[in-house]
C-alpha cells in the first residue's frame, strides 16, 4: 500500500512540475524517458498525462509492439511499446519502473507509450546539441535532434506530433 501511495505522490509531483514547466520555461523543454539503454526526449507541449502501468488487454492481429488497450481513468487507450516500435527491444517482464506516457490532447490520439523509466525534465540550458552524424534521409521524420547532457549521455528527441502521423505508427495491424 505504501508503494502505491509513493507512486501516486511521485506522479502528482511530476504532473505539477510538467504543468509549471509548460507555463514558465522559456526555450525548449522535454520530458526525458528511457527505453533500454536509450534516452529519449519528448517535447513538453506534445506530452500528456503520465500513468503507472495498468492491465492491458491484447488485440488480435496487431503488430508485436502494439500491446493492446488499457482503461486509463475511464478511457480506452492503445498501448504502444516504444522500444518495440523503434526496434530497440521489447518490454521484458519485471520492469518495475515502467510507465505509460500519454499524448497531449491537442494531438487527438487515444494512445500511450510504454517506456522503461521516467528520467525527469530537461531544458535546453541543460543540454548541448550534437552534430548530425547520419544523413537526414535515414532517420524517420519523427526523430529530431540529438542532445548531450552534462554527464555525456546522448538523448534523442522524438516529435510526438510527428510520431502520430508516421505511417508505421498508424499501421497497428499485421
Amino acid at each position: 500500500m505504501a508503494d502505491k501511495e509513493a507512486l501516486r505522490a511521485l506522479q502528482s509531483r511530476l504532473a505539477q512540475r510538467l504543468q509549471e514547466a509548460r507555463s514558465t520555461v522559456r526555450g525548449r523543454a522535454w520530458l526525458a524517458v528511457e527505453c533500454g539503454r536509450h534516452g529519449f526526449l519528448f517535447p513538453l507541449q506534445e506530452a500528456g498525462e503520465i500513468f503507472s502501468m495498468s492491465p492491458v488487454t491484447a488485440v488480435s492481429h496487431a503488430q508485436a509492439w502494439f500491446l493492446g488497450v488499457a482503461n486509463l481513468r475511464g478511457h480506452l487507450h492503445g498501448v504502444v511499446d516504444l522500444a518495440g516500435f523503434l526496434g530497440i527491444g521489447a518490454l521484458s517482464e519485471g520492469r518495475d519502473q515502467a510507465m505509460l506516457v500519454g499524448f497531449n490532447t491537442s494531438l487527438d490520439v487515444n494512445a500511450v507509450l510504454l517506456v522503461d523509466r521516467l528520467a525527469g525534465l530537461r531544458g535546453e540550458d541543460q543540454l548541448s546539441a550534437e552534430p548530425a552524424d547520419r544523413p537526414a534521409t535515414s532517420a524517420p521524420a519523427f526523430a529530431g535532434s540529438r542532445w548531450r547532457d552534462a554527464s555525456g549521455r546522448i538523448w534523442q528527441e522524438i516529435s510526438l506530433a510527428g510520431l502520430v502521423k508516421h505511417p508505421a505508427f498508424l499501421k497497428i495491424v499485421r
Side-chain angles (χ1 to χ4, degrees):
M1 192 63 141
D3 289 339
K4 285 185 178 182
E5 289 174 12
L7 181 58
R8 283 189 186 114
L10 170 67
Q11 288 175 310
S12 177
R13 286 192 310 272
L14 188 53
Q16 181 180 356
R17 289 186 61 205
L18 277 169
Q19 186 58 37
E20 289 171 2
R22 283 186 182 121
S23 60
T24 61
V25 172
R26 298 190 193 271
R28 297 168 71 183
W30 300 272
L31 172 64
V33 302
E34 295 177 355
C35 288
R37 295 185 181 114
H38 301 273
F40 296 102
L41 300 171
F42 299 155
L44 278 183
Q45 68 274 17
E46 297 175 5
E49 191 169 355
I50 297 167
F51 303 93
S52 57
M53 193 60 199
S54 295
V56 176
T57 303
V59 176
S60 300
H61 308 291
Q63 299 283 355
W65 47 264
F66 187 81
L67 301 180
V69 294
N71 182 347
L72 304 170
R73 298 198 198 282
H75 300 281
L76 290 180
H77 289 73
V79 179
V80 174
D81 176 8
L82 182 61
F85 175 76
L86 296 174
I88 58 173
L91 180 70
S92 62
E93 295 299 319
R95 292 187 184 173
D96 57 345
Q97 296 182 34
M99 299 295 282
L100 301 171
V101 178
F103 294 86
N104 187 291
T105 56
S106 67
L107 297 177
D108 199 28
V109 177
N110 281 352
V112 291
L113 298 173
L114 175 64
V115 299
D116 290 344
R117 183 175 97 72
L118 298 176
L121 301 175
R122 301 290 187 278
E124 198 171 22
D125 60 332
Q126 299 170 301
L127 303 166
S128 57
E130 281 289 294
D133 60 349
R134 62 188 187 279
T137 57
S138 70
F142 59 82
S145 302
R146 293 179 61 192
W147 299 83
R148 183 179 301 271
D149 64 18
S151 70
R153 180 162 190 189
I154 300 293
W155 296 88
Q156 175 66 55
E157 184 177 2
I158 300 286
S159 166
L160 297 179
L163 180 64
V164 301
K165 295 176 186 170
H166 194 274
F169 187 81
L170 296 172
K171 189 175 189 271
I172 64 167
V173 177
R174 278 189 254 162

